[in-house]
Each structure stands twice: as C-alpha cells, then as structure tokens.
Amino acid sequence: MMTIDEFHIGGDLSVRRLGFGAMRLTGKGVWGPPEDAPAAQAVLRRAIDLGINFIDTADVYGPGDNERLIRDTLQPYPAGLVIGTKGGMTRSGPATPDNHRSAIDNSEAHLRHTVEGSLRNLGVEHIDLYQLHRVDPKIPIEDTTGVLGRLQAEGKIRHI
C-alpha cells in the first residue's frame, strides 16, 4: 500500500518522495572520482540509513565514477532501493562556471553504449529507471524513444 510520502514509478516501483541526487559526489566540475571517497561513501550510506530509497545518477557524472561509487558503496543493494540513471549526453572535461563541457547525443549507438556502461558500472542486470538527460534536437524523439523501448524489451531497462 502506498502512503502519502510515496509514489509509484511505472505503477510498480514504490519510492519515497525525497530521493538522493548523487551528482555532487564526483570530483570537482562533476569530473573524476570524489576527492574524499570515504566521505562520499559515508554520505551514500547515511542517505540509506535515513530511509532514502531512490538514488538519481547519470553516466556522465564522473563520467562513470558516480555509478561505480554507488555500486562499490551499496552493493549488495538493500531491498527496495531504486537507482535511476540518465544518458544521452557526453562530457569532455570538468565543468566550469562558464562551460558545462557537455553535448547532447541521443543516437542509438550512444544510448546503447551508455546503457551497457551503466549496467556494468552499477553492477545490475537491469536499470530500474532510465531517463534522458536532454532531448537531442537533431534526432526525432520518436527515434529516441524507440531505442529506449527496444532496450526495455531486451530487459536492460525496467522503466523509461
């Protein structure tokens, strides 16, 4: 039974309304591993201890370092933990105040590559929730959702 403090993703994944956005657990400029990995791991563990059951991350946080930090800290994952990750962007270096060093890429090749990478980085058989970081204006959204739908049908993504 769902409470007022919860909602369902796709009708079957129950998450609390307060989740944890893990982006800032990476290095400076959202690039590389955290400067203080034990402190970052302590933050993740504390979030779980406080009842958080949804963690949001992305393949470009690090790139990949954020997902691996979550895996290395929390695996085996507690029952009921939902991890959402994102794709569809690339990052060429650390972000600065005037340059995020990112680009959009919703091509099938890129999305397939990032989903496979996130599966490995998170150490999971499927991604609970996969989100687009940005919609690529060069690719029709129907093409992008078609790719994600195929990845879902292949069992790599649970919810889009």
Side-chain angles (χ1 to χ4, degrees), residues 127-148:
I127 296 166
D128 290 327
L129 175 64
Y130 195 78
Q131 305 162 91
L132 278 179
H133 228 131
R134 303 278 187 281
V135 173
D136 190 335
K138 299 181 300 294
I139 298 175
I141 190 67
E142 298 84 3
D143 292 355
T144 301
T145 56
V147 171
L148 296 177

Side-chain angles (χ1 to χ4, degrees), residues 20-22 24-25 36-50 52 55 69 73-74:
F20 180 76
R24 294 295 176 187
L25 294 181
D36 185 345
Q41 290 177 313
V43 168
L44 281 168
R45 288 187 193 102
R46 183 68 176 143
I48 300 301
D49 291 345
L50 291 171
I52 298 294
I55 296 177
L69 177 72
T73 303
L74 299 178

Side-chain angles (χ1 to χ4, degrees), residues 35-159:
E35 291 179 24
D36 185 345
Q41 290 177 313
V43 168
L44 281 168
R45 288 187 193 102
R46 183 68 176 143
I48 300 301
D49 291 345
L50 291 171
I52 298 294
N53 75 336
F54 177 72
I55 296 177
D56 177 74
T57 186
D59 69 308
V60 294
Y61 300 165
D65 293 293
N66 197 261
E67 292 173 331
R68 288 187 294 274
L69 177 72
I70 292 166
R71 177 198 66 210
D72 294 347
T73 303
L74 299 178
Q75 216 176 37
Y77 295 117
L81 179 64
V82 175
I83 300 174
T85 194
K86 296 179 282 302
M89 286 181 57
T90 62
R91 189 174 299 268
S92 62
T96 62
D98 60 333
N99 185 344
H100 289 173
R101 303 245 170 113
S102 62
I104 303 169
D105 185 351
N106 289 183
S107 68
E108 181 163 1
H110 180 72
L111 290 174
R112 284 189 170 279
H113 176 75
T114 59
V115 165
E116 292 294 340
S118 290
L119 289 167
R120 277 189 312 277
N121 288 337
L122 291 167
V124 296
E125 292 182 12
H126 68 268
I127 296 166
D128 290 327
L129 175 64
Y130 195 78
Q131 305 162 91
L132 278 179
H133 228 131
R134 303 278 187 281
V135 173
D136 190 335
K138 299 181 300 294
I139 298 175
I141 190 67
E142 298 84 3
D143 292 355
T144 301
T145 56
V147 171
L148 296 177
R150 289 188 292 280
L151 288 162
Q152 186 179 40
E154 293 167 18
K156 296 177 182 189
I157 297 172
R158 186 167 174 190
H159 294 289

